[in-house]
Amino acid sequence: LKAMPIVFDAVDGELRANGEPFIVRGLNWFGSEGELGVPYGLKERASEDLLDFVARSGFNALRILFNWESVTQNREVDITAFRPSLNPQLLDNGKSILAGISYLDMLLVLIRQAAQKGLLVLLTCHRLTPKAWPGNGLWYNGQISEAQVLRNWEKMAEHFCGEWNVFAVDLHNEPHKSSWGRGSSNDWNKAAE
């Protein structure tokens, strides 16, 4: 894939990108949705090397997971969660002490590195908080309100919609306690509109 606008379309049951048949071949890169705060593997390898491997292996997309608490707080990523010598792009060079960049900036760095490799990115809200697994089965709870979720999606849009390779989002992973079309406050079909 090249850095250009991509128009996805469905023709006769087939996905097309800019008029050509297209098959999404993706994988999950998990870790940033949990307590680690960054995708797994960054203590052992440089993110550029991992993304090179993904692209060389024939994949064209990544599903990067996040949680709402980390988006809301947007704190510095913990430098013990990655090896700074391998991943200096995750350091905040503007600080006088060794510190990580913000959570959203960390995601942006990875999205832009994926773009350089021609990889699409699907962002997935996988949890409400880093420790909430499997969580309450809804897209909100007592700590993260539905109004906060909407504000967070606006924040995510501001940060990532300008990136050519962010092609999709998963609004919430497996909202298994929600209903559909019952007229209740937990109706996923209304929340996703």
Side-chain angles (χ1 to χ4, degrees):
L1 294 174
K2 298 195 174 157
M4 59 184 225
I6 300 173
V7 177
F8 288 103
D9 206 357
V11 177
D12 297 324
E14 180 180 67
L15 179 64
R16 293 181 178 251
N18 297 335
E20 298 295 320
F22 187 80
I23 297 172
V24 177
R25 292 182 180 92
L27 54 84
N28 279 324
W29 194 5
F30 62 94
S32 50
E33 80 287 4
E35 293 182 71
L36 186 64
V38 300
Y40 283 115
L42 299 180
K43 284 185 180 184
E44 297 78 23
R45 306 261 313 264
S47 56
E48 293 267 342
D49 293 342
L50 291 168
L51 293 168
D52 277 337
F53 174 78
V54 169
R56 277 194 325 270
S57 297
F59 293 99
N60 60 15
L62 287 174
R63 183 176 181 246
I64 298 178
L65 290 60
F66 65 89
N67 73 77
W68 282 138
E69 180 180 291
S70 295
V71 170
T72 301
Q73 295 174 351
N74 199 26
R75 293 186 176 144
E76 295 171 356
V77 294
D78 183 353
I79 62 167
T80 65
F82 63 94
R83 187 177 300 170
S85 62
L86 294 174
N87 295 287
Q89 73 282 4
L90 299 180
L91 293 173
D92 187 341
N93 293 323
K95 302 227 171 157
S96 59
I97 59 169
L98 197 58
I101 60 175
S102 74
Y103 186 76
L104 291 174
D105 285 345
M106 175 270 302
L107 293 173
L108 185 60
V109 164
L110 298 176
I111 288 166
R112 288 180 173 167
Q113 287 181 330
Q116 291 171 353
K117 311 297 180 190
L119 297 168
L120 297 173
V121 172
L122 181 149
L123 293 168
T124 301
C125 178
H126 205 262
R127 301 180 184 185
L128 295 172
T129 70
K131 295 181 181 182
W133 183 253
N136 69 351
L138 297 173
W139 59 96
Y140 62 92
N141 64 15
Q143 181 182 349
I144 307 288
S145 69
E146 192 168 20
Q148 183 62 54
V149 168
L150 293 173
R151 285 191 299 274
N152 282 348
W153 273 121
E154 289 173 3
K155 186 187 290 189
M156 296 289 283
E158 288 171 14
H159 273 79
F160 306 123
C161 280
E163 303 305 314
W164 73 266
N165 62 323
V166 175
F167 80 112
V169 297
D170 183 353
L171 297 177
H172 192 78
N173 186 62
E174 301 173 5
H176 58 274
K177 293 285 185 172
S178 64
S179 56
W180 188 274
R182 294 186 182 163
S184 80
S185 62
N186 295 339
D187 272 357
W188 180 238
N189 60 308
K190 292 292 182 190
E193 287 181 349

